[in-house]
Amino acid sequence: MKLSETNKAWVLLTPALLFLSLPAYGLFSAISTSLHESGSFTIKHYRTIFQQETFWESVGYSVRITLIATSISLLLGLLLTRTFTPIIQSTKGKLSIWLPMLFPHFVWGYIVLLLFEQSGLISHLLVEMGLMSSTSSFPIMTNDQNGIGIILTYVGKETPFVVLMLLPIYAKQQVGYKDLVHTLGGGKWAAFKDAEWPWVAPVLLEAGIILFAFILSAYEVPFLLGATFPEMISVLTYDWFYSGDWNERPLAFAAMIITSVLIGIISFIAFSAMNRKRMLLTKGQD
C-alpha cells in the first residue's frame, strides 16, 4: 500500500513530533503544578511571587545581564564579519570560528574563571610584570554583583555564533549596491545604512532573539560565575525547586512559566518586526 504525499509527510515528521512532545509535556506539567494546590485551582503561587522583592530584583538583573551580553555579542559579531569576511571564508578562518563553538558554555565559564579571577592567570601575570603589588588589587570580575564574568563568558561563546549567522549575508553581498551609493555621493555610513543594513538587520534580530532566550534561561554559567545576590532567574528557580521547603517548588514552576511568557512576548514582537522588515525588503522598500 502506497502512502499519499500527506501521509508521507506525517510519517517523516513523527520522530520530531515525538521529540517535541517531551518539552511540551514538561511545560504543561509546570503550568498545572503552578496553578494547583492540594488538587484545587489557585493563583496563589503567582501572587506570592509577584509580592516578592527578590523575584523582581532577579528578573531585572537577569534581563540587564542578558541584554548587555546579547548586544555586545551582536556588535562584535557584526564588526568581525564585516572586517574579516574574506579571511573567515577560508578553511583556516572557518575553523577559527567553529572551534570556540565546540566547547560547552561551562567550559567557557571555567576559562573565564581561570583567567579573570582575582587569583587567576591574568592577575598573577600582572604581579610578575610589576604592574600590580598583589593579586588582591586585581578588580573583581568573577562572582561579582555586576555579572562581569557572566557577560564575558557569553560574549566569548556567542560572538562566533553571530559571525556564522552573518557570514552567508556578507559572502553573497554584491558590492554594486555600495558602488551605487558612492556614485550618488553617499559616504561610508550611507553605504552601510542603505546597501548593507537592510540585509543584515533581519539576521541580527533573529540571532538576538536566540541569544536572549538562551542567556535568560541558562543555568550553568550564572551558577558558576554569578554572585549569591542578586541571582539570575534560572539560579533562583533552581534554588526554589531543590530547597528543603516543598512549598517553594510551585514557586519555581511559576517562575519558569513567567520567564517563558516573557521570552515568548519578546520573541513575538521581534519576529513580527523581522518579518515586516523582510517583507519590505522583498518589495524593494526600506
Side-chain angles (χ1 to χ4, degrees):
M1 179 179 178
K2 293 185 177 180
L3 296 174
S4 64
E5 293 298 326
T6 303
N7 291 334
K8 284 182 180 179
W10 281 110
V11 170
L12 294 174
L13 286 173
T14 298
L17 293 175
L18 291 175
F19 179 78
L20 291 175
S21 65
L22 295 176
Y25 171 77
L27 177 62
F28 286 116
S29 177
I31 294 174
S32 176
T33 303
S34 66
L35 291 174
H36 287 83
E37 185 178 41
S38 302
S40 302
F41 178 83
T42 181
I43 58 172
K44 168 188 173 183
H45 308 304
Y46 288 92
R47 285 202 306 265
T48 302
I49 279 185
F50 290 148
Q51 292 172 357
Q52 288 196 8
E53 185 178 351
T54 303
F55 172 75
W56 290 113
E57 290 177 347
S58 179
V59 170
Y61 177 75
S62 301
V63 171
R64 178 168 61 87
I65 295 297
T66 301
L67 288 176
I68 293 174
T70 300
S71 301
I72 296 176
S73 299
L74 293 176
L75 180 60
L76 285 179
L78 176 60
L79 293 176
L80 288 174
T81 310
R82 293 186 75 246
T83 306
F84 300 107
T85 293
I87 300 176
I88 298 174
Q89 285 183 285
S90 66
T91 302
K92 292 182 179 180
K94 289 179 181 178
L95 287 176
S96 66
I97 296 297
W98 289 338
L99 187 60
M101 299 185 66
L102 297 177
F103 298 99
H105 285 80
F106 74 88
V107 173
W108 274 95
Y110 274 113
I111 292 174
V112 170
L113 195 65
L114 292 173
L115 290 177
F116 294 99
E117 196 177 20
Q118 273 197 317
S119 58
L121 179 61
I122 294 178
S123 64
H124 279 93
L125 287 176
L126 293 176
V127 172
E128 291 295 328
M129 294 169 62
L131 299 177
M132 290 175 50
S133 58
S134 65
T135 56
S136 59
S137 302
F138 190 76
I140 300 176
M141 301 179 67
T142 59
N143 304 110
D144 61 302
Q145 293 184 344
N146 294 319
I148 297 176
I150 300 174
I151 294 172
L152 289 174
T153 301
Y154 283 124
V155 169
K157 174 65 175 175
E158 308 305 343
T159 299
F161 168 75
V162 178
V163 172
L164 289 178
M165 291 284 287
L166 292 174
L167 187 59
I169 302 298
Y170 282 94
K172 298 178 181 180
Q173 190 179 45
Q174 298 181 6
V175 296
Y177 292 116
K178 289 186 177 180
D179 293 338
L180 178 60
V181 174
H182 292 314
T183 302
L184 296 175
K188 291 183 178 180
W189 170 248
F192 172 77
K193 181 175 68 71
D194 298 328
E196 190 174 330
W197 180 251
W199 302 93
V200 171
V203 179
L204 272 181
L205 187 58
E206 184 176 356
I209 295 171
I210 296 172
L211 295 184
F212 182 88
F214 177 82
I215 296 174
L216 184 63
S217 57
Y219 169 77
E220 66 272 29
V221 173
F223 175 77
L224 180 64
L225 294 168
T228 55
F229 182 84
E231 294 178 314
M232 292 281 283
I233 188 65
S234 55
V235 179
L236 180 64
T237 302
Y238 182 92
D239 292 341
W240 279 344
F241 188 86
Y242 286 103
S243 69
D245 188 357
W246 283 83
N247 293 324
E248 289 186 344
R249 181 159 290 191
L251 299 182
F253 285 111
M256 285 189 287
I257 298 303
I258 294 172
T259 304
S260 300
V261 171
L262 176 62
I263 292 174
I265 293 173
I266 294 176
S267 299
F268 176 78
I269 295 173
F271 270 118
S272 298
M274 180 180 63
N275 291 334
R276 181 176 178 274
K277 187 72 175 178
R278 281 179 171 163
M279 185 178 297
L280 292 175
L281 191 61
T282 57
K283 295 179 178 179
Q285 302 177 21
D286 192 358

Short mmCIF file of all heavy atoms in Angstrom, two decimals, residues 223-259:
data_model
loop_
_atom_site.label_atom_id
_atom_site.label_comp_id
_atom_site.label_asym_id
_atom_site.label_seq_id
_atom_site.Cartn_x
_atom_site.Cartn_y
_atom_site.Cartn_z
N PHE A 223 25.40 30.04 37.59
CA PHE A 223 25.71 29.32 38.82
C PHE A 223 27.21 29.32 39.11
O PHE A 223 27.64 29.46 40.26
CB PHE A 223 25.21 27.87 38.71
CG PHE A 223 25.58 27.01 39.88
CD1 PHE A 223 24.88 27.11 41.07
CD2 PHE A 223 26.64 26.11 39.79
CE1 PHE A 223 25.23 26.32 42.17
CE2 PHE A 223 26.99 25.33 40.87
CZ PHE A 223 26.29 25.42 42.06
N LEU A 224 28.01 29.19 38.05
CA LEU A 224 29.46 29.12 38.20
C LEU A 224 30.08 30.48 38.47
O LEU A 224 31.01 30.60 39.29
CB LEU A 224 30.08 28.50 36.95
CG LEU A 224 31.60 28.34 36.92
CD1 LEU A 224 32.06 27.36 37.99
CD2 LEU A 224 32.06 27.86 35.54
N LEU A 225 29.59 31.53 37.81
CA LEU A 225 30.24 32.84 37.83
C LEU A 225 29.40 33.93 38.48
O LEU A 225 29.87 35.07 38.57
CB LEU A 225 30.60 33.26 36.40
CG LEU A 225 31.66 32.41 35.70
CD1 LEU A 225 31.73 32.74 34.22
CD2 LEU A 225 33.02 32.62 36.35
N GLY A 226 28.18 33.61 38.87
CA GLY A 226 27.31 34.63 39.44
C GLY A 226 27.55 34.86 40.92
O GLY A 226 28.25 34.09 41.59
N ALA A 227 26.97 35.94 41.43
CA ALA A 227 27.07 36.27 42.85
C ALA A 227 25.93 35.60 43.61
O ALA A 227 24.96 35.12 43.02
CB ALA A 227 27.03 37.78 43.04
N THR A 228 26.06 35.57 44.92
CA THR A 228 24.98 35.00 45.72
C THR A 228 23.75 35.90 45.72
O THR A 228 22.63 35.42 45.90
CB THR A 228 25.47 34.78 47.17
OG1 THR A 228 25.97 36.03 47.69
CG2 THR A 228 26.58 33.74 47.20
N PHE A 229 23.97 37.19 45.52
CA PHE A 229 22.85 38.13 45.40
C PHE A 229 23.32 39.36 44.62
O PHE A 229 24.41 39.87 44.89
CB PHE A 229 22.32 38.56 46.77
CG PHE A 229 21.14 39.48 46.68
CD1 PHE A 229 19.86 38.96 46.54
CD2 PHE A 229 21.30 40.86 46.70
CE1 PHE A 229 18.76 39.81 46.45
CE2 PHE A 229 20.21 41.70 46.61
CZ PHE A 229 18.94 41.17 46.48
N PRO A 230 22.55 39.80 43.63
CA PRO A 230 21.33 39.16 43.12
C PRO A 230 21.65 37.95 42.25
O PRO A 230 22.77 37.83 41.74
CB PRO A 230 20.69 40.28 42.30
CG PRO A 230 21.84 41.12 41.85
CD PRO A 230 22.86 41.07 42.94
N GLU A 231 20.66 37.08 42.09
CA GLU A 231 20.83 35.87 41.30
C GLU A 231 20.10 35.99 39.97
O GLU A 231 19.08 36.67 39.88
CB GLU A 231 20.30 34.65 42.05
CG GLU A 231 21.07 34.29 43.30
CD GLU A 231 20.47 33.10 44.02
OE1 GLU A 231 19.23 33.08 44.17
OE2 GLU A 231 21.22 32.20 44.41
N MET A 232 20.64 35.32 38.96
CA MET A 232 19.90 35.19 37.72
C MET A 232 18.63 34.38 38.00
O MET A 232 18.59 33.54 38.90
CB MET A 232 20.75 34.50 36.65
CG MET A 232 21.94 35.30 36.17
SD MET A 232 21.51 36.59 34.97
CE MET A 232 21.27 35.62 33.48
N ILE A 233 17.60 34.61 37.22
CA ILE A 233 16.30 33.97 37.47
C ILE A 233 16.41 32.45 37.40
O ILE A 233 15.70 31.73 38.12
CB ILE A 233 15.25 34.50 36.46
CG1 ILE A 233 13.87 34.01 36.83
CG2 ILE A 233 15.63 34.15 35.04
CD1 ILE A 233 13.35 34.51 38.14
N SER A 234 17.30 31.93 36.55
CA SER A 234 17.46 30.48 36.44
C SER A 234 18.01 29.89 37.74
O SER A 234 17.59 28.81 38.17
CB SER A 234 18.39 30.15 35.28
OG SER A 234 19.62 30.83 35.40
N VAL A 235 18.96 30.58 38.36
CA VAL A 235 19.54 30.11 39.62
C VAL A 235 18.53 30.20 40.75
O VAL A 235 18.41 29.29 41.58
CB VAL A 235 20.82 30.90 39.96
CG1 VAL A 235 21.42 30.43 41.28
CG2 VAL A 235 21.83 30.78 38.84
N LEU A 236 17.78 31.30 40.78
CA LEU A 236 16.75 31.46 41.80
C LEU A 236 15.70 30.36 41.67
O LEU A 236 15.25 29.79 42.69
CB LEU A 236 16.08 32.83 41.67
CG LEU A 236 14.97 33.15 42.66
CD1 LEU A 236 15.50 33.19 44.09
CD2 LEU A 236 14.29 34.48 42.31
N THR A 237 15.29 30.06 40.45
CA THR A 237 14.32 28.99 40.22
C THR A 237 14.86 27.65 40.68
O THR A 237 14.14 26.85 41.29
CB THR A 237 13.95 28.94 38.72
OG1 THR A 237 13.43 30.21 38.32
CG2 THR A 237 12.91 27.87 38.46
N TYR A 238 16.12 27.39 40.38
CA TYR A 238 16.76 26.13 40.80
C TYR A 238 16.77 26.03 42.33
O TYR A 238 16.50 24.95 42.89
CB TYR A 238 18.17 26.07 40.24
CG TYR A 238 18.92 24.81 40.56
CD1 TYR A 238 18.88 23.72 39.70
CD2 TYR A 238 19.70 24.71 41.73
CE1 TYR A 238 19.59 22.56 39.99
CE2 TYR A 238 20.39 23.56 42.03
CZ TYR A 238 20.34 22.48 41.16
OH TYR A 238 21.02 21.33 41.46
N ASP A 239 17.10 27.13 42.99
CA ASP A 239 17.14 27.11 44.45
C ASP A 239 15.77 26.82 45.03
O ASP A 239 15.65 26.06 46.02
CB ASP A 239 17.65 28.46 44.97
CG ASP A 239 19.11 28.70 44.65
OD1 ASP A 239 19.81 27.71 44.35
OD2 ASP A 239 19.55 29.86 44.68
N TRP A 240 14.72 27.41 44.48
CA TRP A 240 13.37 27.15 44.96
C TRP A 240 12.98 25.69 44.72
O TRP A 240 12.36 25.06 45.58
CB TRP A 240 12.38 28.07 44.23
CG TRP A 240 12.32 29.44 44.81
CD1 TRP A 240 12.79 29.85 46.02
CD2 TRP A 240 11.76 30.60 44.19
NE1 TRP A 240 12.57 31.19 46.21
CE2 TRP A 240 11.92 31.68 45.10
CE3 TRP A 240 11.14 30.86 42.98
CZ2 TRP A 240 11.49 32.97 44.83
CZ3 TRP A 240 10.70 32.14 42.70
CH2 TRP A 240 10.87 33.18 43.62
N PHE A 241 13.35 25.15 43.56
CA PHE A 241 12.93 23.80 43.21
C PHE A 241 13.59 22.76 44.11
O PHE A 241 12.95 21.77 44.51
CB PHE A 241 13.27 23.51 41.74
CG PHE A 241 12.70 22.22 41.24
CD1 PHE A 241 11.41 22.17 40.73
CD2 PHE A 241 13.45 21.06 41.27
CE1 PHE A 241 10.88 20.97 40.27
CE2 PHE A 241 12.93 19.86 40.80
CZ PHE A 241 11.63 19.82 40.30
N TYR A 242 14.87 22.97 44.43
CA TYR A 242 15.60 21.96 45.20
C TYR A 242 15.79 22.35 46.67
O TYR A 242 16.59 21.74 47.37
CB TYR A 242 16.97 21.71 44.57
CG TYR A 242 16.89 20.91 43.30
CD1 TYR A 242 17.01 21.53 42.06
CD2 TYR A 242 16.67 19.54 43.32
CE1 TYR A 242 16.93 20.79 40.87
CE2 TYR A 242 16.59 18.80 42.16
CZ TYR A 242 16.71 19.44 40.94
OH TYR A 242 16.63 18.71 39.78
N SER A 243 15.05 23.34 47.12
CA SER A 243 15.13 23.71 48.53
C SER A 243 14.43 22.65 49.39
O SER A 243 13.65 21.85 48.90
CB SER A 243 14.49 25.08 48.76
OG SER A 243 13.10 25.00 48.57
N GLY A 244 14.73 22.67 50.67
CA GLY A 244 14.10 21.71 51.56
C GLY A 244 12.63 21.98 51.80
O GLY A 244 11.90 21.09 52.26
N ASP A 245 12.17 23.19 51.49
CA ASP A 245 10.77 23.56 51.70
C ASP A 245 9.97 23.20 50.45
O ASP A 245 10.11 23.81 49.39
CB ASP A 245 10.67 25.06 51.97
CG ASP A 245 9.26 25.47 52.38
OD1 ASP A 245 8.36 24.61 52.39
OD2 ASP A 245 9.07 26.67 52.68
N TRP A 246 9.09 22.21 50.56
CA TRP A 246 8.30 21.77 49.42
C TRP A 246 7.29 22.83 48.97
O TRP A 246 6.80 22.79 47.83
CB TRP A 246 7.56 20.47 49.75
CG TRP A 246 8.45 19.29 49.71
CD1 TRP A 246 9.27 18.85 50.71
CD2 TRP A 246 8.65 18.39 48.62
NE1 TRP A 246 9.97 17.73 50.32
CE2 TRP A 246 9.59 17.42 49.04
CE3 TRP A 246 8.10 18.30 47.34
CZ2 TRP A 246 10.01 16.39 48.20
CZ3 TRP A 246 8.52 17.27 46.52
CH2 TRP A 246 9.47 16.33 46.94
N ASN A 247 7.00 23.78 49.84
CA ASN A 247 6.08 24.85 49.45
C ASN A 247 6.67 25.79 48.41
O ASN A 247 5.94 26.53 47.75
CB ASN A 247 5.67 25.67 50.70
CG ASN A 247 4.84 24.85 51.67
OD1 ASN A 247 4.03 24.01 51.26
ND2 ASN A 247 5.05 25.08 52.96
N GLU A 248 8.01 25.77 48.28
CA GLU A 248 8.65 26.64 47.31
C GLU A 248 8.73 26.02 45.91
O GLU A 248 9.04 26.72 44.95
CB GLU A 248 10.07 27.00 47.79
CG GLU A 248 10.08 27.94 48.98
CD GLU A 248 11.48 28.40 49.34
OE1 GLU A 248 12.45 27.76 48.86
OE2 GLU A 248 11.61 29.39 50.08
N ARG A 249 8.46 24.72 45.81
CA ARG A 249 8.55 24.08 44.49
C ARG A 249 7.53 24.65 43.50
O ARG A 249 7.89 24.90 42.34
CB ARG A 249 8.40 22.57 44.63
CG ARG A 249 8.49 21.82 43.32
CD ARG A 249 8.84 20.37 43.50
NE ARG A 249 10.21 20.19 43.96
CZ ARG A 249 10.83 19.01 44.00
NH1 ARG A 249 10.19 17.92 43.62
NH2 ARG A 249 12.07 18.91 44.42
N PRO A 250 6.26 24.86 43.89
CA PRO A 250 5.34 25.51 42.94
C PRO A 250 5.80 26.91 42.53
O PRO A 250 5.51 27.35 41.42
CB PRO A 250 4.02 25.57 43.72
CG PRO A 250 4.11 24.47 44.72
CD PRO A 250 5.57 24.44 45.11
N LEU A 251 6.52 27.61 43.42
CA LEU A 251 7.04 28.93 43.07
C LEU A 251 8.07 28.81 41.94
O LEU A 251 8.15 29.68 41.08
CB LEU A 251 7.69 29.59 44.30
CG LEU A 251 6.78 29.84 45.50
CD1 LEU A 251 7.58 30.53 46.61
CD2 LEU A 251 5.57 30.66 45.13
N ALA A 252 8.85 27.72 41.99
CA ALA A 252 9.84 27.50 40.92
C ALA A 252 9.14 27.30 39.58
O ALA A 252 9.56 27.86 38.56
CB ALA A 252 10.70 26.28 41.26
N PHE A 253 8.07 26.52 39.58
CA PHE A 253 7.32 26.31 38.34
C PHE A 253 6.70 27.62 37.85
O PHE A 253 6.71 27.93 36.65
CB PHE A 253 6.23 25.26 38.54
CG PHE A 253 6.75 23.86 38.61
CD1 PHE A 253 6.71 23.13 39.78
CD2 PHE A 253 7.28 23.26 37.47
CE1 PHE A 253 7.19 21.84 39.84
CE2 PHE A 253 7.75 21.96 37.52
CZ PHE A 253 7.71 21.24 38.70
N ALA A 254 6.15 28.40 38.79
CA ALA A 254 5.54 29.67 38.41
C ALA A 254 6.59 30.62 37.83
O ALA A 254 6.34 31.32 36.84
CB ALA A 254 4.87 30.32 39.63
N ALA A 255 7.78 30.64 38.42
CA ALA A 255 8.86 31.49 37.91
C ALA A 255 9.28 31.05 36.51
O ALA A 255 9.56 31.89 35.63
CB ALA A 255 10.06 31.44 38.86
N MET A 256 9.33 29.74 36.27
CA MET A 256 9.68 29.24 34.94
C MET A 256 8.64 29.65 33.90
O MET A 256 8.97 30.00 32.77
CB MET A 256 9.84 27.72 34.98
CG MET A 256 11.13 27.24 35.64
SD MET A 256 11.41 25.46 35.43
CE MET A 256 10.17 24.79 36.56
N ILE A 257 7.37 29.58 34.30
CA ILE A 257 6.30 29.96 33.36
C ILE A 257 6.37 31.45 33.05
O ILE A 257 6.24 31.86 31.88
CB ILE A 257 4.92 29.61 33.96
CG1 ILE A 257 4.80 28.10 34.18
CG2 ILE A 257 3.81 30.10 33.04
CD1 ILE A 257 5.04 27.28 32.93
N ILE A 258 6.62 32.27 34.06
CA ILE A 258 6.73 33.72 33.85
C ILE A 258 7.90 34.02 32.92
O ILE A 258 7.79 34.86 32.01
CB ILE A 258 6.87 34.45 35.19
CG1 ILE A 258 5.59 34.30 36.02
CG2 ILE A 258 7.20 35.92 34.97
CD1 ILE A 258 5.71 34.82 37.43
N THR A 259 9.04 33.33 33.14
CA THR A 259 10.20 33.52 32.26
C THR A 259 9.88 33.12 30.83
O THR A 259 10.24 33.81 29.87
CB THR A 259 11.39 32.70 32.77
OG1 THR A 259 11.66 33.06 34.13
CG2 THR A 259 12.63 32.95 31.93
#
